[in-house]
Amino acid sequence: MLLIRNNAGLKVFIAQLQKNGQRIGFVPTMGALHEGHLSLIQQAAAQCDVVVCSIFVNPTQFNDPADLEKYPRPITRDIELLQATGCDVLYMPDVEDIYPPDLDTTLRLNPGKLIEVMEGEFRPGHFEGVMQVVKRLLDLVTPDVLVMGQKDYQQVAVIRFMIQKLRLPVTLYVAETERETDGLAKSSRNVRLTQKWRSIAPVIYQTLSATRDKLGTLPPKQLAEAGFRALEAAGLRPEYYRIVDGVTLLDLEKVAKNKPMVVCTAAWAGDVRLIDNVILQP
Ligand code: AMP
């Protein structure tokens, strides 16, 4: 695996790939890799000639400086995992590579409600940061395929919006959520769960699955309220629990056939914030 630490090195490498007509698959991450990330690498490899993975803990998407500070950074292990998974290139830029002081990387896009609801409500500015970093990474890596996880459903919706709005020449591929055997979605944050909270956290997926099973028995709002209360009853502190339109991410009043629907939640397990979702209708 090739390790590229700066933009000059990346530029030379990408130019060579383009000259050879090789298809580039790209998996942006913040590191602390787990099997979820590695499945994205494998899916990129299945569709492309070369897989580039980036590890960059993007400061502009953290609204809480303590969260940025606490974010795990086990880089030696990450490199070993990527190598074992068959990743071709690890791009690990510095903040100055992504945000050079003389470059305006601000995006003037207005996704409206897409970035205001759910995560947007509880992490103001988060998606502005996500769009900014993904746009910058796409400009630098110039991939044919961008692979992202359904685990971050709203993030995928926002990036899809950005790709369409800016007519970016990249195909977005969304990979399914990898889970622990008890259903807990794999996440870099799981290592911070104490034993107690680790044993409670699977309630999140159990509750989302129960909502899916009960779809149609009650109006979506009532089902969502019941889900919120179920998380509270388990001792978690839910921030939101919403049944939304899979494209607009707005709350749904009723179940409509042929309409994408998803149930999304964010909940605190002790001092660790976890998010998850289950697709109710594709
Ligand atoms: P992160 O490092 O948390 O920014 O995540 C990098 C990418 O991995 C994003 O596209 C995530 O949606 C994806 N991802 C995170 N967790 C999982 C998971 N459990 N299964 C599949 N993909 C995931």
Side-chain angles (χ1 to χ4, degrees):
M1 184 174 71
L2 190 63
L3 176 58
I4 298 181
R5 297 290 323 237
N6 60 46
N7 291 352
L10 183 70
K11 210 169 168 179
V12 172
F13 182 75
I14 296 289
Q16 192 60 43
L17 294 180
Q18 284 172 341
K19 206 170 125 205
N20 299 341
Q22 286 171 293
R23 273 169 69 77
I24 305 170
F26 177 46
V27 180
T29 80
M30 298 204 298
L33 303 179
H34 51 68
E35 281 158 33
H37 298 113
L38 302 179
S39 85
L40 305 194
I41 302 281
Q42 285 160 346
Q43 291 175 65
Q47 300 175 53
C48 298
D49 302 306
V50 174
V51 179
V52 178
C53 172
S54 64
I55 294 183
F56 179 65
V57 184
N58 176 34
T60 71
Q61 72 188 67
F62 284 83
N63 51 321
D64 175 2
D67 194 23
L68 172 63
E69 185 73 16
K70 279 187 290 188
Y71 206 84
R73 292 170 173 83
I75 191 58
T76 311
R77 184 166 180 273
D78 283 352
I79 291 176
E80 283 166 14
L81 287 173
L82 287 173
Q83 242 155 359
T85 312
C87 179
D88 299 293
V89 180
L90 169 57
Y91 170 51
M92 235 172 35
D94 286 330
V95 173
E96 291 72 33
D97 286 304
I98 299 300
Y99 304 121
D102 60 343
L103 182 71
D104 184 2
T105 56
T106 327
L107 281 180
R108 284 154 199 91
L109 280 173
N110 186 11
K113 291 280 180 215
L114 262 192
I115 63 166
E116 288 166 16
V117 297
M118 299 196 290
E119 289 299 289
E121 192 183 331
F122 290 92
R123 302 183 70 188
H126 170 66
F127 287 119
E128 283 87 345
V130 169
M131 289 191 293
Q132 180 186 30
V133 75
V134 174
K135 169 68 167 59
R136 180 79 180 120
L137 288 166
L138 290 174
D139 286 347
L140 291 162
V141 178
T142 66
D144 297 278
V145 180
L146 168 66
V147 183
M148 301 187 93
Q150 184 210 306
K151 156 90 179 358
D152 298 271
Y153 191 94
Q154 190 171 9
Q155 170 167 281
V156 167
V158 170
I159 295 303
R160 183 176 285 124
F161 168 88
M162 181 181 82
I163 290 173
Q164 285 169 357
K165 201 78 178 170
L166 299 178
R167 310 274 195 277
L168 301 180
V170 65
T171 302
L172 177 62
Y173 180 86
V174 184
E176 272 179 32
T177 304
E178 292 288 318
R179 299 183 179 281
E180 303 291 352
T181 43
D182 57 15
L184 176 65
K186 299 210 178 204
S187 164
S188 307
R189 292 188 159 90
N190 291 354
V191 293
R192 291 182 35 227
L193 292 168
T194 61
Q195 214 176 356
K196 172 189 155 191
W197 289 112
R198 176 63 190 81
S199 69
I200 294 174
V203 169
I204 297 174
Y205 181 61
Q206 287 159 15
T207 306
L208 293 168
S209 304
T211 297
R212 180 187 53 206
D213 297 342
K214 285 185 211 141
L215 192 69
T217 60
L218 282 172
K221 268 226 161 85
Q222 284 182 36
L223 272 184
E225 278 161 19
F228 191 96
R229 284 196 302 269
L231 297 186
E232 281 183 326
L236 298 158
R237 275 185 299 123
E239 282 184 340
Y240 62 83
Y241 192 100
R242 300 263 163 75
I243 296 178
V244 297
D245 180 298
V247 178
T248 64
L249 305 189
L250 297 178
D251 285 344
L252 282 171
E253 299 296 331
K254 57 181 193 319
V255 178
K257 266 201 178 144
N258 304 326
K259 208 176 205 179
M261 281 177 82
V262 58
V263 53
C264 300
T265 190
W268 289 87
D271 64 353
V272 183
R273 187 176 185 275
L274 301 173
I275 63 168
D276 201 354
N277 65 80
V278 160
I279 290 179
L280 303 174
Q281 270 183 182

